[in-house]
């Protein structure tokens, strides 16, 4: 295998000569230069890694450019030039002509390109590599070049038959037939001569970048091609071997193969040290010092991902000490950032290595540490670090009950940096968190639209973990609105994309079971709900705060229907320690704590202890209002209204519900909270009617209004497919219809109630069975 030259690079040499020979005033000079830049600078090319995939990428742009020969195009002339370089003598002559064109000792008439320009550097390196190439490798390279030109053989024989005939005669009788040349499919033959060592290393680097930025495993087609090239690559260079083991390290990491990932990480740094020592001819000890801190950084991240927290913290402390000793500020900054992340996730009690730590509370300390990291990122112009630090500041602001507008400010600053400096890998993470922030303030429609826009715009460019988070959030939002089939379809599509990444697959499966549990609870399938709840409880310690919060909420609802004592113990469990404001279970999030408080107050109301629920609900409502947590605030208002109804203050409860009804409809639409609002209003009107004189118009008006609200609550519950709420509303409707003696409506309502009870045998609704059997 050649170190630098490959078939597509010989084609680029021919293209460079065509550009240098073209007159400056020719119409196709700009197009030639554009194609030269496309293949010479592949990072700026839209084709990316496909620049060496086919000869058509070189030839197709010139099909519409007229040639000096009548009836021909520049495409025909370029194909003719490519085949003229199909022998050792012609290729040697081509490289000599180009070397003379960039030679600094040549005359002004012959020197057509500056030696320091990208074109000059490319020509000089090609000349040096061709001179160093062994004869056997030269023959193999030429054969691969001829195979690369196979798709253009028909064009050559039609436009330049003399050149085609001369080429066949030069190859020898029977060596290469015209039929064989004409039957090629246009792809590079996967042999050792079709790709150079530099191309192989570039492909490995792109694969590693794909693994790091996207969080996905390498596609199977690219992996098999790399495996073929590495197998046929005879020389085992340390640079190629180190990149191969680094890619294997990420592959094993994504596949959750801890031992294999650890082994490949050690091999990668062993080969890296060997390559560095051989390249610089220095002592091995210097290379060990240079690479050791990065080895420890990757090792700590690997330990943390597999929840080996003690080993991860020990490796990170040693990494920080080594980086300080070697004065590697970039590695030190990222190590300090990871130290803060480890302490937040695992709530370690060890002292931090950050110099800005103070003696205040953990929230104040973390704010100081993040400010220090942000300033270090600005000083070193590491904008990705600044953006990620702003995102962490927004998370910290929410977790300690700070100002929501401040979190929005941090997110918009991070988004501005990502757009300004092209940090596409961080755009998706910021957008997902922004959607979650909209959801917290009650803008659920905006949040769902934001997630949809994220998937449409950044779905193919963002990190797979962030894409999965966005889809899980969107799917759970659909399930909350009763669109279970659409949510399940979104989860199934996501699971197809996460094949090979075990943790992301587990997250997708967990949310699929969470959606199934929500559906089973609403539909009254008690056996399925118990089985799914047991499975999800075992998956709770996976380190996903969002999953844990949703599971806590559903557990409270599930247990409230089955065992009230266990449900009360669940919502009143001991809070996490105050010096660990973020834990792996997410229990310390302010919105989640307030939601559990509202559930606790609701249980007091249902148990007949309304007086004890007042203070809890009011405190939750006040805290939710300060933090702009609108869904929690509206739910707490409904609990306060239920308390007022239990205390006989029906007018106050009705005014409270009517005041919040518009905001409830605006925030949640036809959701469970809207159905609850209609239910509370119905109960308030029933209480008001009960306080009026018997058989008066006020009583009749209150009952009619209650029936209307009951119908709307039943419709909202039907949209959610919540059979338990539907049964409760039908029971209340039958009781109200009995007051107005509407026999036909009672019969229809009883039929609907019996139909629902057939499919929800596990539900326990007081009085439902008695009314249905009357």
């Amino acid at each position: 295998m050649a170190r630098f030259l490959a078939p597509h690079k010989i084609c680029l040499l021919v293209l460079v000569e065509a550009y240098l020979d073209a007159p400056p005033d020719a119409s196709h000079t700009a197009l030639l230069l554009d194609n030269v830049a496309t293949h010479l600078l592949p990072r700026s090319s839209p084709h990316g890694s496909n620049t060496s995939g086919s000869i058509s990428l070189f030839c197709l742009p010139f099909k519409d450019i007229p040639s000096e020969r009548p009836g021909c195009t520049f495409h025909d002339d370029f194909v003719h030039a490519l085949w003229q370089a199909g022998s050792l003598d012609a290729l040697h002559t081509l490289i000599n002509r180009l070397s003379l064109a960039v030679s600094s000792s040549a005359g002004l008439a012959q020197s057509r390109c500056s030696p320091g320009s990208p074109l000059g550097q490319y020509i000089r390196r090609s000349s040096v590599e061709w001179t160093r190439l062994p004869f056997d490798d030269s023959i193999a390279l030429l054969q691969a070049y001829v195979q690369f030109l196979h798709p253009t053989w028909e064009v050559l024989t039609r436009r330049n038959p003399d050149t085609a005939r001369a080429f066949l005669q030069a190859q020898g009788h029977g060596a290469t037939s015209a039929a064989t040349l004409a039957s090629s499919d246009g792809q590079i033959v996967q042999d050792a001569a079709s790709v150079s060592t530099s191309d192989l290393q570039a492909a490995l680097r792109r694969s590693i970048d794909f693994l790091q930025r996207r969080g996905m495993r390498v596609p199977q087609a690219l992996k098999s091609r790399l495996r073929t090239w590495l197998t046929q690559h005879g020389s085992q260079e340390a640079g190629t071997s180190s990149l191969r083991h680094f890619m294997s390290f990420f592959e094993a990491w994504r596949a959750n193969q801890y031992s294999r990932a650890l082994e490949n990480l050690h091999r990668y740094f062993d080969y890296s040290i060997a390559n560095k020592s051989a390249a610089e001819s220095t002592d091995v000890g210097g290379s060990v010092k240079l690479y050791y801190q990065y080895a420890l950084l990757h090792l700590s991240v690997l330990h943390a991902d597999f929840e080996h927290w003690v080993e991860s913290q020990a490796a990170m402390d040693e990494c920080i000490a080594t980086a300080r000793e070697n004065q590697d500020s970039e590695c030190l900054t990222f190590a300090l950032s990871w130290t803060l992340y480890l302490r937040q996730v695992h709530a370690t009690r060890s002292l931090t290595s950050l110099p800005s730590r103070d003696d205040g509370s953990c929230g104040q300390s973390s704010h100081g540490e993040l400010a220090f990291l942000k300033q270090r990122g600005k000083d070193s112009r590491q904008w990705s670090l600044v953006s990620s630090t702003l995102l962490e500041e927004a998370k910290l602001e929410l977790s300690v009950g700070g100002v929501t507008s401040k979190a929005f400010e941090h997110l918009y600053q991070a988004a501005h940096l990502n757009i300004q400096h092209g940090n596409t890998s961080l755009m998706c993470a910021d957008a997902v968190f922004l959607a979650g922030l909209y959801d917290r303030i009650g803008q659920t429609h905006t949040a769902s639209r934001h997630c949809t826009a994220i998937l449409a715009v950044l779905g193919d460019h963002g990190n797979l973990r962030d894409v999965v988070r966005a889809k899980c959030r969107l799917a759970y939002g659909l399930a909350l609105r009763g669109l279970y089939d659409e949510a399940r379809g979104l989860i199934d599509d996501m699971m197809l994309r996460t094949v090979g990444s075990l943790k992301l697959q587990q997250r997708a499966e967990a949310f699929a079971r969470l959606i199934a549990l929500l559906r089973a609870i609403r539909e009254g399938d008690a056996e399925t709900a118990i089985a799914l709840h047991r499975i999800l409880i075992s998956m709770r310690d996976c380190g996903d705060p969002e999953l844990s919060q949703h599971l806590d909420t559903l557990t409270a609802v599930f247990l409230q229907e089955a065992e009230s004592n266990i449900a009360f113990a669940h919502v009143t469990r001991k809070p996490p320690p105050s010096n660990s404001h973020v834990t792996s279970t997410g229990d310390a999030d302010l919105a989640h704590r307030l939601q559990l408080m509202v559930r606790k107050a609701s249980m007091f109301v249902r148990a007949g202890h309304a007086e004890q629920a007042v203070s809890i609900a009011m405190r939750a409502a006040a805290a939710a209002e300060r933090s702009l947590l609108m869904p929690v605030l509206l739910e707490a208002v409904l609990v306060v209204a239920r308390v007022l109804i239990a205390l006989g203050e029906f007018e106050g409860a009705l005014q409270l519900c009517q005041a919040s009804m518009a905001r409830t409809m605006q925030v949640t639409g036809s959701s469970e909270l809207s159905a609850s609002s209609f239910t509370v209003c119905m109960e308030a009107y029933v209480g008001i009617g009960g306080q009026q004189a018997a058989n008066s118009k006020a009583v009749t008006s209150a009952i009619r209004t209650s029936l209307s609200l009951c119908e709307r609550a039943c419709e909202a519950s039907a949209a959610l497919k919540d059979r338990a709420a539907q049964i409760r509303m039908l029971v209340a409707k039958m009781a109200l219809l009995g007051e107005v003696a509407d026999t036909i409506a009672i019969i229809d309502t009883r039929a609907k109630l019996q139909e629902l009870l057939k499919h929800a045998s596990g539900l326990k609704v007081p009085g439902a069975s008695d009314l249905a059997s009357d």
Side-chain angles (χ1 to χ4, degrees):
M1 179 182 286
R3 293 176 54 187
F4 179 75
L5 290 176
H8 65 279
K9 293 184 178 179
I10 298 177
C11 294
L12 182 56
L13 288 174
V14 178
L15 185 62
V16 168
E17 186 183 38
Y19 165 70
L20 294 178
D21 291 341
D25 57 345
S27 59
H28 61 277
T29 304
L31 182 60
L32 282 171
L33 180 59
D34 179 69
N35 281 274
V36 169
T38 297
H39 297 282
L40 189 62
L41 306 172
R43 289 184 180 180
S44 62
S45 169
H47 302 291
S49 61
N50 296 326
T51 53
S52 61
S54 174
I55 185 62
S56 61
L57 294 176
F58 289 91
C59 300
L60 286 179
F62 308 116
K63 279 197 171 183
D64 298 331
I65 300 178
S67 173
E68 295 180 356
R69 294 188 299 167
C72 296
T73 62
F74 187 77
H75 173 267
D76 303 326
D77 297 342
F78 184 63
V79 170
H80 179 245
L82 289 173
W83 281 97
Q84 279 188 329
S87 64
L88 284 177
D89 183 61
L91 185 56
H92 187 75
T93 304
L94 171 66
I95 294 177
N96 284 340
R97 287 199 307 267
L98 290 173
S99 300
L100 184 63
V102 299
S103 176
S104 59
S105 60
L108 295 177
Q110 292 179 331
S111 181
R112 293 168 288 169
C113 182
S114 172
S117 65
L119 281 180
Q121 293 178 3
Y122 178 75
I123 292 172
R124 293 175 64 185
R125 183 174 182 184
S126 299
S127 176
V128 172
E129 294 293 340
W130 173 255
T131 305
R132 293 178 177 177
L133 199 63
F135 182 75
D136 293 342
D137 291 342
S138 301
I139 296 297
L141 175 62
L142 187 64
Q143 292 175 351
Y145 175 68
V146 173
Q147 287 180 327
F148 188 69
L149 298 181
H150 279 179
T152 61
W153 175 255
E154 184 179 354
V155 178
L156 181 70
T157 55
R158 187 175 65 251
R159 297 295 186 183
N160 300 278
D162 296 336
T163 303
R165 193 178 305 110
F167 178 79
L168 290 176
Q169 292 175 357
Q171 295 295 321
H173 296 289
T176 306
S177 64
T180 304
L181 289 170
S183 61
S184 173
D185 59 354
Q187 297 297 325
I188 300 178
V189 178
Q190 303 297 327
D191 57 8
S194 64
V195 63
S196 62
T197 304
S198 62
D199 293 332
L200 179 57
Q201 292 181 353
L204 288 172
R205 291 190 186 97
R206 283 195 296 269
S207 302
I208 293 171
D209 183 74
F210 186 82
L211 286 163
Q212 285 180 316
R213 293 183 180 274
R214 298 291 308 281
M216 301 171 63
R217 301 185 68 179
V218 177
Q220 193 62 35
L222 179 58
K223 192 188 303 182
S224 60
R225 176 177 294 186
L226 288 174
R227 188 182 298 111
T228 302
W229 288 346
L230 290 169
T231 302
Q232 295 177 350
H233 184 25
S235 61
Q236 296 293 330
E237 294 188 3
T240 304
S241 299
S242 64
L243 290 175
R244 180 183 62 185
H245 289 299
F246 199 41
M247 188 184 74
S248 300
F249 158 67
F250 279 105
E251 278 281 297
W253 184 3
R254 301 304 177 197
N256 260 35
Q257 298 175 355
Y258 174 73
S259 301
R260 183 181 172 189
L262 193 61
E263 179 184 357
N264 281 291
L265 181 61
H266 284 294
R267 289 184 178 182
Y268 162 66
F269 282 101
D270 289 342
Y271 279 105
S272 298
I273 290 172
N275 184 34
K276 188 70 176 179
S277 300
E280 296 184 354
S281 300
T282 57
D283 61 306
V284 180
S287 297
V288 171
K289 287 184 178 181
L290 180 64
Y291 279 87
Y292 187 51
Q293 64 263 30
Y294 293 100
L296 292 169
L297 181 61
H298 283 87
L299 184 62
S300 176
V301 174
L302 178 65
H303 284 316
D305 195 62
F306 286 91
E307 299 184 3
H308 298 170
W309 305 109
V310 178
E311 295 85 348
S312 177
Q313 188 66 40
M316 190 59 70
D317 290 341
E318 189 172 357
C319 173
I320 292 174
T322 308
R324 282 173 172 169
E325 180 183 353
N326 297 332
Q327 298 181 356
D328 191 343
S329 60
E330 183 175 358
C331 180
L332 178 61
T333 303
F334 281 104
L336 295 176
S337 177
W338 264 99
T339 301
L340 178 61
Y341 168 78
L342 290 176
R343 190 171 65 252
Q344 288 179 348
V345 171
H346 188 53
T348 55
R349 302 297 190 268
S350 59
L351 292 177
T352 179
S353 302
L354 293 170
S356 62
R357 181 177 175 88
D358 51 30
D359 296 327
S361 64
C362 187
Q364 296 174 351
S365 175
S366 298
H367 275 299
E369 293 162 353
L370 288 172
F372 167 76
L373 287 174
K374 184 168 62 176
Q375 187 61 40
R376 286 289 297 266
K378 290 179 180 178
D379 294 340
S380 58
R381 304 184 69 83
Q382 298 176 11
W383 303 114
S384 60
L385 177 63
V386 177
S387 177
S388 59
T389 305
L390 287 169
L391 180 61
E392 291 298 327
E393 282 186 330
K395 292 180 180 179
L396 181 62
E397 192 73 28
L398 295 180
S399 63
V400 298
V403 183
T404 306
S405 58
K406 191 69 174 178
F408 271 110
E409 180 183 350
H410 291 318
L411 282 178
Y412 286 131
Q413 288 177 358
H416 173 71
L417 285 177
N418 293 335
I419 295 173
Q420 184 178 11
H421 300 283
N423 296 327
T424 56
S425 60
L426 297 176
M427 289 181 181
C428 195
D430 290 345
V432 171
F433 190 75
L434 184 60
L437 196 56
Y438 278 123
D439 202 6
R440 288 170 67 100
I441 64 174
Q443 300 294 332
T444 53
H445 180 74
T446 306
S448 61
R449 289 292 184 182
H450 205 67
C451 283
T452 306
I454 293 166
L455 298 175
V457 178
L458 300 175
D460 296 332
H461 304 283
N463 190 284
L464 181 60
R465 180 185 59 184
D466 299 323
V467 173
V468 169
R469 286 175 56 205
K471 285 195 173 184
C472 286
R473 183 182 294 275
L474 187 59
Y476 193 74
L478 291 173
L480 287 176
R481 299 201 302 269
L483 304 175
Y484 306 113
D485 295 333
E486 291 83 348
R488 182 65 189 183
L490 195 60
I491 292 289
D492 291 340
D493 177 69
M494 179 175 53
M495 292 181 69
L496 292 176
R497 295 190 59 185
T498 57
V499 173
S501 183
L502 185 58
K503 284 203 169 185
L504 295 181
Q505 276 188 320
Q506 289 176 345
R507 179 184 175 88
E509 291 175 358
F511 268 86
R513 291 191 174 97
L514 197 69
I515 292 171
L517 175 61
L518 176 63
R519 184 172 189 172
I521 292 174
R522 287 179 174 177
E523 293 182 350
D525 191 351
E527 295 182 0
T528 303
I530 292 172
L532 289 171
H533 183 262
R534 188 180 298 112
I535 295 174
L536 286 170
I537 287 296
S538 64
M539 301 177 66
R540 178 171 177 164
D541 295 331
C542 63
D544 190 345
E546 188 176 2
L547 175 64
S548 299
Q549 291 177 10
H550 292 323
L551 181 58
D552 276 344
T553 304
L554 289 183
T555 300
V557 176
F558 173 68
L559 294 177
Q560 187 173 351
E561 300 293 338
E563 298 291 341
S564 301
N565 294 331
I566 301 177
F568 187 78
H570 173 74
V571 298
T572 57
R573 65 184 186 274
K574 184 179 179 181
S578 59
N579 61 341
S580 58
H581 60 276
V582 180
T583 63
S584 60
T585 59
D587 287 343
D589 182 68
L590 178 64
H592 185 53
R593 290 204 311 267
L594 295 178
Q595 196 171 24
L596 292 180
M597 287 178 62
V598 173
R599 293 286 178 183
K600 179 180 178 182
S602 178
M603 290 180 186
F604 273 121
V605 175
R606 292 187 59 175
H609 301 282
E611 296 83 356
Q612 300 182 27
V614 174
S615 60
I616 300 175
M618 292 298 294
R619 283 190 288 114
E625 184 183 11
R626 286 195 302 270
S627 300
L628 296 179
L629 301 174
M630 293 305 300
V632 181
L633 173 61
L634 294 173
E635 194 172 354
V637 168
L638 286 180
V639 173
V640 174
R642 291 184 186 276
V643 170
L644 293 176
I645 290 175
L647 297 177
E649 298 292 337
F650 303 111
E651 290 286 349
L654 182 60
Q655 293 177 5
L656 194 60
C657 287
Q658 288 178 344
S660 62
M661 181 64 72
R663 188 64 174 172
T664 300
M665 299 297 294
Q666 178 186 358
V667 167
T668 60
S670 58
S671 66
E672 188 174 3
L673 193 58
S674 300
S676 300
S677 299
F678 290 127
T679 303
V680 174
C681 287
M682 179 199 69
E683 294 175 356
Y685 270 109
V686 171
I688 292 173
Q691 293 177 345
Q692 305 299 323
N695 300 325
S696 62
K697 291 184 179 180
V699 174
T700 305
S701 176
I703 292 177
R704 294 296 181 187
T705 306
S706 300
L707 282 171
S708 176
L709 292 169
C710 184
E711 285 287 347
R712 297 197 63 178
C714 193
E715 290 174 1
S717 301
L720 297 172
K721 299 180 178 62
D722 191 347
R723 288 177 182 166
Q726 284 181 269
I727 292 173
R728 285 193 290 268
M729 290 301 100
L730 290 176
V731 171
K733 183 178 179 181
M734 289 184 64
L736 292 172
L737 290 173
E739 295 294 330
V740 296
D742 192 343
T743 308
I744 298 177
I746 291 176
I747 294 174
D748 293 339
T749 306
R750 181 181 290 111
K752 294 179 182 179
L753 181 59
Q754 289 175 348
E755 184 66 24
L756 285 174
L757 289 174
K758 290 180 182 178
H759 300 284
S761 57
L763 289 175
K764 300 179 180 178
V765 180
S769 300
D770 298 336
L771 287 173
S773 60
D774 288 343

